[in-house]
Amino acid sequence: MSTLNRLVLWNIDHTLVDVGRVTREAYAEAFQRTIGRPLIRLAPTPGRTESEIIFETLAFNDVVTTDDHLPAFVAALAEAFATRRAELRTHGRVLAGAQEAVAALAHVPGVVQSVLTGAVQPNAVLKVTELGLAEHLDLDSGGYENGVYSKAALLELARTRAGERHGTRYPESATVYIADSPRDVQAAHIAGSPIIAVATGSATEAELRAAGADHVLATLADTHAVVSAVADLTRL
């Protein structure tokens, strides 16, 4: 039987890693540099793209936005993360089972792994690289915040990129998204791809099931359960 080509797309924050402290500090610095005063309130982040977080954060802090705010804030945020490379290693952590799950899927024939994240590409790459997860991820195929597309559209873009890079086609049914929020579940549904939801973020298992996730796991700690869920959803 021929090997089935499958694409596994990982959400990063609260699915693979927790870098919340560094993220909050970087946003505070970027806000100060862009707006010229201290950040009071950061918008909720689960399942959102960087632009959504930025615009809502600006609104929460009574900033009247202009067309210049987003690119300036994104640039400042990337710089703020870059200067915190060491802090990512010190204060960030890989979530239970993430390293093992990524490594196990890398040994399944026909599987390519990348990321689908609301973070801008430089910050996303820093997170997985500094925390030792990049080895088995094709980061050039990933879907990243670019100020234009929703996560659902970024999923489609990642499928196209991966297909072009690997000389094959990844149908919707053979592309699995692994993430932690109901908004991610919604994005996968819009894009027509199955999703494994992990209750390692702010959403409970019950909330993820109610959102319509195809598989729900408490954590990634059971490597066999992760690999089996990918296999089941891609009809192996």
Side-chain angles (χ1 to χ4, degrees), residues 1-86:
M1 183 171 59
S2 61
T3 299
L4 176 65
N5 293 315
R6 289 146 293 177
L7 178 62
V8 176
L9 297 172
W10 290 94
N11 181 59
I12 298 176
D13 292 286
H14 305 297
T15 301
L16 291 174
V17 304
D18 180 358
V19 293
R21 174 174 171 175
V22 177
T23 296
R24 288 188 295 272
E25 291 175 354
Y27 261 93
E29 179 181 327
F31 186 93
Q32 176 74 54
R33 289 179 57 185
T34 306
I35 306 304
R37 55 183 168 86
L39 173 67
I40 303 301
R41 181 183 175 192
L42 179 63
T45 61
R48 293 181 157 196
T49 62
E50 216 91 78
S51 59
E52 291 175 304
I53 298 165
I54 290 169
F55 279 128
E56 189 162 321
T57 294
L58 293 173
F60 283 169
N61 291 272
D62 299 320
V63 176
V64 179
T65 58
T66 69
D67 291 342
D68 296 330
H69 275 122
L70 182 61
F73 203 118
V74 167
L77 188 62
E79 291 179 20
F81 256 93
T83 62
R84 288 170 169 77
R85 183 184 295 266

Side-chain angles (χ1 to χ4, degrees), residues 4 6 105 173-174 176 194-196 214-216 224-236:
L4 176 65
R6 289 146 293 177
L105 284 167
S173 61
V176 179
I195 180 166
I196 299 168
D214 298 285
H215 273 274
V216 177
H224 177 73
V226 178
V227 176
S228 295
V230 171
D232 177 54
L233 292 175
T234 53
R235 302 180 180 87
L236 282 178

